[in-house]
């Protein structure tokens, strides 16, 4: 009797997972294309454990399989407006920066903000841009995963609108350079501000290079990108040593006026 109950439970879970995947694929590619390729889709997604992990859909695997098998059509009939709706959970400030950086890194530097709402620690951000292709979800999700962001839901809302729900609770800035205690790092000419990631350090030392004209600008942030303190100097320094505020996770180092002033780079030590 007990064995039969267990078998029934496993069978029910398998059916449920299959139903969840099927419903999601129908939403992604539409009912017509799902019906047209139903046998192929059943074959591709028969191993449910590849697409359902810890009772959650692996959207990267779902989309990768669709794209690999020619079932994900991203080309539009003509250039048109595309809208992405982001629901960012558990870290709104860091989420906003990561999403901005991610869109730029995958080739969308010119986007228009249609709506931006901040609710406690969450963020709703709707963006719009014109393109010939829909944003490739495989590329977008992979880029987010590299920053420890977990995509928890994706929906095709029609009219070239896609919804992404993303959990940023364990997210990190990919461009931030991790520096360990007592490690010396020599940074070369900056293309943008230097971003450092640190853990349990108390002191920062920054040394400018010869022929630089550095006017220090340093900001300290916690895990959620809340500002813990800022140093800004209006005269030239060859170097600076300062205490690091408690709970600092990220440090931004720049110049108060222009990055050209530190074109020969800076050397950084944390202790």
């Amino acid at each position: 009797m007990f064995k039969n109950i267990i078998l029934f439970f496993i069978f029910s879970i398998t059916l449920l997972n299959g139903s969840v995947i099927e419903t999601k694929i129908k939403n992604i590619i539409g009912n017509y294309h799902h019906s047209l390729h139903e046998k192929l889709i059943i074959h591709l997604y028969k191993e449910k454990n590849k697409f359902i992990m810890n009772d959650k859909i692996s959207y990267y695997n779902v989309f990768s399989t669709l794209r690999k098998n020619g079932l994900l059509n991203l080309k539009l009939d003509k250039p048109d407006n595309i809208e992405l709706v982001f629901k960012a959970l558990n870290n709104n400030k860091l989420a906003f920066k990561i999403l901005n950086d991610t869109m730029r890194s995958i080739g969308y530097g010119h986007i228009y903000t249609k709506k931006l709402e901040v609710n406690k620690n969450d963020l709703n951000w709707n963006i719009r841009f014109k393109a010939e292709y829909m944003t490739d979800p495989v590329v977008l999700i992979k880029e987010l995963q590299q920053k420890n962001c977990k995509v928890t839901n994706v929906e095709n809302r029609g009219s070239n609108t896609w919804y992404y729900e993303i959990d940023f609770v364990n997210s990190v800035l990919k461009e931030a350079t991790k520096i360990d205690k007592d490690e010396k790092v020599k940074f070369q000419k900056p293309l943008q501000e230097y971003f450092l990631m640190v853990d349990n350090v108390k002191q920062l030392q920054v040394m400018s290079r010869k022929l630089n004209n550095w006017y220090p600008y340093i900001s300290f942030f916690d895990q959620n990108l809340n500002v813990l303190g800022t140093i800004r100097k209006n005269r030239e320094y060859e170097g600076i040593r300062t205490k690091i505020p408690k709970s600092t996770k990220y440090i931004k180092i720049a110049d108060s006026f222009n990055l050209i002033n530190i074109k020969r780079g800076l050397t950084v030590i944390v202790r």
Side-chain angles (χ1 to χ4, degrees):
M1 179 67 178
F2 180 73
K3 183 179 179 181
N4 290 337
I5 292 174
I6 294 296
L7 289 174
F8 175 77
F9 177 75
I10 293 172
F11 180 69
S12 299
I13 292 296
T14 301
L15 287 178
L16 179 61
N17 286 346
S19 175
V20 168
I21 291 293
E22 182 181 7
T23 300
K24 183 55 65 176
I25 292 173
K26 282 182 180 179
N27 170 257
I28 292 170
I29 67 175
N31 290 334
Y32 172 76
H33 287 98
H34 181 273
S35 298
L36 190 63
H37 304 287
E38 186 172 9
K39 289 185 179 179
L40 175 59
I41 290 169
I42 290 172
H43 173 71
L44 293 173
Y45 292 89
K46 64 183 179 182
E47 296 183 45
K48 302 297 186 297
N49 61 330
K50 290 183 179 180
F51 308 102
I52 300 284
M53 300 177 181
N54 299 319
D55 297 326
K56 303 291 184 183
I57 295 176
S58 171
Y59 284 96
Y60 180 79
N61 290 345
V62 168
F63 279 108
S64 294
T65 301
L66 287 173
R67 190 178 72 171
K68 191 182 300 181
N69 291 276
L71 298 174
L72 188 63
N73 182 21
L74 302 175
K75 192 175 190 312
L76 304 176
D77 293 334
K78 60 180 181 178
D80 203 352
N81 287 322
I82 295 171
E83 185 170 342
L84 299 185
V85 179
F86 294 115
K87 172 73 173 179
L89 308 174
N90 299 316
N91 208 330
N92 52 44
K93 292 180 181 178
L94 186 58
F96 187 69
K97 176 169 176 52
I98 287 176
L99 287 171
N100 257 304
D101 292 347
T102 297
M103 293 305 295
R104 283 199 300 270
S105 69
I106 64 175
Y108 298 97
H110 302 285
I111 56 178
Y112 161 73
T113 295
K114 182 179 177 182
K115 183 174 76 171
L116 178 63
E117 294 179 348
V118 179
N119 180 23
K120 293 184 179 179
N121 205 26
D122 299 341
L123 174 79
N124 295 302
W125 188 34
N126 296 21
I127 62 174
R128 180 179 288 177
F129 51 90
K130 199 163 189 175
E132 297 181 15
Y133 289 83
M134 292 297 303
T135 303
D136 189 335
V138 178
V139 174
L140 177 56
I141 294 171
K142 183 178 181 180
E143 189 72 19
L144 290 169
Q145 287 179 340
Q146 289 175 348
K147 299 165 185 174
N148 287 353
C149 308
K150 184 180 292 185
V151 177
T152 56
N153 191 21
V154 182
E155 296 176 10
N156 180 359
R157 294 189 169 178
S159 301
N160 299 335
T161 299
W162 286 77
Y163 169 84
Y164 287 83
E165 183 178 278
I166 309 158
D167 192 341
F168 287 83
V169 68
N170 295 314
S171 57
V172 295
L173 291 177
K174 183 182 176 183
E175 71 272 24
T177 301
K178 180 72 170 67
I179 299 186
D180 296 322
K181 189 180 296 184
D182 297 323
E183 181 183 7
K184 178 188 287 189
V185 177
K186 296 181 179 181
F187 290 99
Q188 302 305 313
K189 179 180 178 179
L191 300 177
Q192 56 187 6
E193 300 96 338
Y194 301 118
F195 252 98
L196 321 180
M197 182 165 58
V198 298
D199 281 312
N200 300 316
V201 291
K202 298 180 179 179
Q203 187 181 84
L204 170 71
Q205 183 178 358
V206 185
M207 294 159 283
S208 184
R209 305 270 174 79
K210 289 183 178 179
L211 303 181
N212 275 345
N213 303 105
W214 184 42
Y215 297 82
Y217 187 95
I218 305 171
S219 292
F220 303 92
F221 306 88
D222 67 10
Q223 170 67 35
N224 299 325
L225 276 196
N226 295 308
V227 179
L228 301 175
T230 298
I231 297 171
R232 182 167 190 166
K233 303 296 185 180
N234 293 320
R235 68 175 180 86
E236 184 180 339
Y237 278 68
E238 293 183 358
I240 195 167
R241 189 191 302 253
T242 184
K243 290 182 178 180
I244 297 174
K246 187 177 180 181
S247 300
T248 293
K249 182 68 175 179
Y250 298 104
I251 303 173
K252 181 174 73 173
I253 303 176
D255 186 88
S256 294
F257 301 105
N258 197 313
L259 291 178
I260 197 69
N261 290 328
I262 49 174
K263 64 182 179 180
R264 292 169 180 81
L266 299 172
T267 299
V268 176
I269 304 174
V270 293
R271 295 186 173 91

